[in-house]
Amino acid sequence: MSSIDRSQSVGGTRTYEVRTYGCQMNVHDSERLSGLLEDAGYVRAPEGSDGDADVVVFNTCAVRENADNKLYGNLGHLAPKKASRPGMQIAVGGCLAQKDRDTIVKRAPWVDVVFGTHNIGKLPVLLERARVQEEAQVEIAESLEAFPSTLPTRRESAYAAWVSISVGCNNTCTFCIVPALRGKEKDRRPGDILAEIEALVGEGVSEITLLGQNVNAYGSDIGDREAFSKLLRACGKIDGLERVRFTSPHPRDFTDDVIAAMAETPNVMPQLHMPLQSGSDPVLKAMRRSYRQERFLGIIEKVRAAIPHAAISTDIIVGFPGETEEDFQQTLHVVREARFAQAFTFQYSKRPGTPAAEMDGQIPKNVVQERYERLVALQEEISWEENKKQVGRTLELMVAEGEGRKDDTTHRLSGRAPDNRLVHFTKPEQEVRPGDVVTVEITYAAPHHLLAEGAVLDVRRTRAGDAWEKRNTEKAAQPAGVMLGLPKVGVPEPLPAVTGGCAVD
């Protein structure tokens, strides 16, 4: 029996599953991969398929030391399934595929397709070629073949969307392998970006997140140092676009004109994710980060002066090679001074192929763990104190889908405040849809969320809510879904360690 005759096939059409690891850029690339497959006639496999689709695609990350072990473990789990099901195909793409190339097929010869970060648009062709020729297809482009935004996209949300403004990175941080895998920065033309945003808004999207490996370096490839601030201001002129966010900037390129654009453009949200990585000047130098503690804290001070209610989050690496206790104390000092609303903290682990992996002074695991626990405890205390300052404030929330794990049992809904804080609120009597906007008063603060336990003060039905309702109506009638939106708005969840690597610069 061929694979297209199995129960996972939908109406005789081959099904697919995409498994994503890593950063926001990978998540957005997976939207493109899904769109390409659906454009080629595939249908997404039902939830919980667990490798029972006709085509399983791994979109990989290479920034963690054990990334390859995780991939080969998952490939090994699928090997017996593939052996017992003629016609099933497995594809591996993303950063690890770009790095390891032929190694993947040698270690897992049952893989059908290996493709890189620069040629994701070739996936359907490579799958068909592997099927016809009955042999693995390995195709890794050395440079970008087509900007990903030109490809079909199956977006996961009807009310919010990633919009990629650049790919690649010109930095040379010693802990990061991204420039080697995604290449030098390539910027999209401003007109193309704005046209995509306007098209999304026309479909009902009301929030967009501008995405780049080093998002505020936008313009270096097109010769305009103020291109990013101009882009933010242009977003402010798009009718129907209510919220604009961006991730992730680099302190080196965070100029005063960007701060002014944030403060003066009403739909640019009072939220900033500014990666610190370390508070120690010697460690920052070893990391090849082109700023120092004074410069970083100066940016935070300017942002707070221009946008008093801004919520600032960061990334911090603990235990970088050569980090002393004094270096670590400098990181704690910056955390106390900056008072981040949230910090995504990572224990340093070797990224194969990076200069830091070969540095002397690798820190023992027990020392890294102890420092990490002290950092987390301090940040938890600060996050809670900063959240307590929100109690009594009246906020407009964009209702979110799937953000509150306990919403069903607590009879609450969840939404995001303008500064991206997560708020759980009492479910109102009238219908509220994801994408709609509610006004609430904050009554309680926890370190990682806020509560609005009183009655909702106002409900505003939006075009974004209409788009969500339309999408779900269509989904019920036709499981293939529609091509709109964003998996998760704002800064990524801190739970899986791999998410802090490549797009968070």
Side-chain angles (χ1 to χ4, degrees), residues 166-220:
S166 65
V167 296
C169 181
N170 293 336
N171 294 319
T172 57
C173 301
T174 55
F175 56 81
C176 184
I177 199 170
V178 170
L181 301 180
R182 290 191 176 268
K184 293 293 186 180
E185 180 177 323
K186 296 293 183 183
D187 295 336
R188 294 177 68 191
R189 293 170 58 88
D192 293 340
I193 297 168
L194 295 171
E196 181 181 356
I197 295 172
E198 289 172 349
L200 288 165
V201 172
E203 295 290 343
V205 168
S206 60
E207 175 171 329
I208 60 101
T209 300
L210 303 175
L211 182 63
Q213 306 287 165
N214 181 9
V215 70
N216 63 318
Y218 176 75
S220 63

Side-chain angles (χ1 to χ4, degrees), residues 238 403 502:
I238 297 178
E403 296 253 29
C502 55

Side-chain angles (χ1 to χ4, degrees), residues 14 16-18 32-43 55 57 123-124 127 152:
R14 286 170 62 80
Y16 76 91
E17 174 189 352
V18 178
R32 306 293 183 194
L33 293 171
S34 296
L36 283 161
L37 291 170
E38 293 193 5
D39 198 51
Y42 293 81
V43 172
V55 173
V57 183
L123 177 59
L127 287 169

